[in-house]
Amino acid sequence: MLGFIGAGKMAQAMARGILRSGLMKGEQIMASDTDGRILSKWDEMGAKTTQCNRTLAENMEILVLAVKPNMVRKILRDVYPTINKDHLVVSIAAGISIATLQQELPAGSRVVRMMPNTPALVQCGATVFARGANTLPVDGEIIQNIVSTFGICEEMPEKHMDAVTGLSGSGPAFMFMALEALTDGGVKMGLSRESASRLAAQTMIGSAKMVMDTRTHPGELKDSVCSPSGSTISGVFELENAGFRSALLNAVQSASKRAYEIGLTENYDTAIEASRDQMAFPKSRVNHFEQAEPCRMSHRHKKGRRNQQK
């Protein structure tokens, strides 16, 4: 029995994947939200709905907190009286640590921190989760079974969750920007926007699939496309001059740091102000992100390093 506190797009994506896989039926899923218009979409899926979080917690064994980070503590305090050892509480709120979740729940509560991403909407998500100390061995299997219905799933130590947020959590936005730019490039060179968009998207899908299926280093795959004095290496030269790779590295780093900052405070608005004031990043975490200095990567790759990464 699976319940979603917060019934927005990510929760809907997860639920649709579960229903399509046949892992659960509609009557085994419940969503809670204050917006009746959102709940109507769950009614169409055949799921149960309620506007009372406690009602959901009293009837569901697995609770997914699919809300903004600033709402997590308030919701946990609301459902606290209904939580017992039979519940598995899963949070997908960026930056909210397992320790924070456990502080707001009864002692011994089973807690999981999870970071999915928006491609779950099309069953191509990338999700990572970390388990709290009180979880059972079977809890990892439960999460794997659920998440695998809408993409790939990996378990990692919690120390990596902010980095995961910066990479796969925020990464779709970076990919969309790359796709938009590629599409604009095609239009600039005379293609219709519809054709350019379709070609750019399929190129990204195919390239990603080559990496996943062949397990070949992306640099080697890139080299295989670049003929001497050819058109591709000419384009690669322009990307290197523009700092393409270092821009992506810095984007992941910045998003990871921001996820950590959000988790530092109970109030999301306070975290926003802290970011504007360029809040200092704790030294221990800076070391974890390898000194967190802006990256300026050379376009030259040494074969020895690449071979080590294969």
Side-chain angles (χ1 to χ4, degrees), residues 166-292:
L167 177 57
S168 56
S170 302
F174 310 153
M175 296 300 99
F176 294 143
M177 291 179 71
L179 279 171
E180 182 183 30
L182 285 170
T183 299
D184 287 346
V187 173
K188 185 175 186 296
M189 299 313 298
L191 299 178
S192 69
R193 182 160 296 278
E194 181 181 359
S195 293
S197 179
R198 184 167 58 250
L199 289 171
Q202 183 60 39
T203 298
M204 184 168 284
I205 292 171
S207 300
K209 187 171 176 56
M210 285 182 71
V211 173
M212 297 286 283
D213 290 356
T214 68
R215 297 185 179 276
T216 302
H217 190 281
E220 186 174 342
L221 292 172
K222 178 265 297 178
D223 288 349
S224 70
V225 187
C226 295
S227 302
S229 297
S231 59
T232 304
I233 194 63
S234 179
V236 168
F237 179 79
E238 292 298 332
L239 290 175
E240 295 290 7
N241 278 341
F244 178 73
R245 270 190 284 212
S246 60
L248 287 175
L249 282 162
N250 289 328
V252 173
Q253 177 180 280
S254 181
S256 300
K257 290 170 64 178
R258 185 72 187 109
Y260 176 76
E261 291 171 356
I262 291 171
L264 285 178
T265 175
E266 295 183 21
N267 191 301
Y268 189 62
D269 295 329
T270 303
I272 291 174
E273 292 301 322
S275 179
R276 288 172 181 163
D277 293 337
Q278 297 183 329
M279 180 167 56
F281 205 52
K283 192 175 223 178
S284 63
R285 297 296 284 174
V286 169
N287 291 335
H288 177 64
F289 288 113
E290 299 184 346
Q291 301 307 317

Side-chain angles (χ1 to χ4, degrees), residues 93-221:
I96 304 301
S97 68
I98 290 173
T100 297
L101 298 171
Q102 290 176 331
Q103 287 173 6
E104 301 298 337
L105 292 169
S109 293
R110 296 152 55 203
V111 171
V112 170
R113 178 180 175 183
M114 188 165 77
M115 177 49 60
N117 65 6
T118 55
L121 287 163
V122 290
Q123 283 70 59
C124 287
T127 302
V128 174
F129 72 94
R131 290 186 291 150
N134 300 314
T135 56
L136 306 174
V138 70
D139 291 338
E141 297 177 14
I142 291 172
I143 297 299
Q144 288 276 5
N145 289 338
I146 291 173
V147 174
S148 62
T149 64
F150 51 85
I152 65 170
C153 179
E154 292 189 18
E155 180 176 5
M156 293 185 186
E158 189 186 15
K159 66 181 181 179
H160 296 310
M161 292 302 292
D162 291 329
V164 167
T165 302
L167 177 57
S168 56
S170 302
F174 310 153
M175 296 300 99
F176 294 143
M177 291 179 71
L179 279 171
E180 182 183 30
L182 285 170
T183 299
D184 287 346
V187 173
K188 185 175 186 296
M189 299 313 298
L191 299 178
S192 69
R193 182 160 296 278
E194 181 181 359
S195 293
S197 179
R198 184 167 58 250
L199 289 171
Q202 183 60 39
T203 298
M204 184 168 284
I205 292 171
S207 300
K209 187 171 176 56
M210 285 182 71
V211 173
M212 297 286 283
D213 290 356
T214 68
R215 297 185 179 276
T216 302
H217 190 281
E220 186 174 342
L221 292 172

